[in-house]
Amino acid sequence: DGGITQSPKYLFRKEGQNVTLSCEQNLNHDAMYWYRQDPGQGLRLIYYSQIVNDFQKGDIAEGYSVSREKKESFPLTVTSAQKNPTAFYLCASKVLGEQFFGPGTRLTVL
Amino acid sequence: AQSVAQPEDQVNVAEGNPLTVKCTYSVSGNPYLFWYVQYPNRGLQFLLKYITGDNLVKGSYGFEAEFNKSQTSFHLKKPSALVSDSALYFCAVRDMRLTGAGSYQLTFGKGTKLSVIP
């Protein structure tokens, strides 16, 4: 999983709560990404950031928010507006066209 | 918009036999293609990529992939499967026409589960 860490590994949330997933990288990569993985659907892009203090919506950004205050960190907040948040969330960073992935966080809504 | 199709949800192969995991793509312009592997509850690991040049690309763990422009395919292959190859495999494509900050994106297929039977 390279130099990308995600925490926690497992996260449980009650309906109506916001939760924040951490993603940190020590690879000095400029670009970072958040994906959601559901069984049989592959990976879908939530948000991405090419540089600090800049980020763009991906294909399924509704109900999610991000920040990129530091190069090393790209936290994802799953808000109560996300109606079906139970999924496996993957963070990635990129250099020279190749994306490196973190180990993932499995979020379950109770 | 670019797209990737992995026509098989699951592939079963006997240990020691050759394996193929299929991928077809659709892009405008030249494709930039990837294969990743995912073990249970883990992130994706890079296997190989095609940018330009030789149509046969060699990657990690003895895997290779053949780029076929006329068939718009990028099938993953291995001459002799191992039980430890059992995992979920993803094909992905980046459209090289897209340039500029904020427009880079990888599009992933839905994944193919490979089971190697001892």
Side-chain angles (χ1 to χ4, degrees), chain B residues 65-86:
Chain B
E66 185 172 8
F67 172 69
N68 188 316
K69 188 172 183 177
S70 62
Q71 297 185 5
T72 61
S73 66
F74 189 56
H75 300 332
L76 182 70
K77 300 181 179 183
K78 188 173 182 180
S80 179
L82 300 173
V83 173
S84 57
D85 292 331
S86 299

Side-chain angles (χ1 to χ4, degrees), chain A residues 35-70:
Chain A
Y35 293 91
R36 170 181 172 140
Q37 183 178 15
D38 296 281
Q41 294 195 46
L43 276 68
R44 292 181 290 169
L45 183 65
I46 305 173
Y47 267 98
Y48 61 101
S49 169
Q50 299 287 354
I51 56 173
V52 174
N53 293 323
D54 182 69
F55 48 83
Q56 306 291 331
K57 292 182 179 179
D59 299 322
I60 55 165
E62 185 176 354
Y64 299 97
S65 66
V66 293
S67 63
R68 186 81 188 278
E69 297 177 0
K70 299 185 300 182

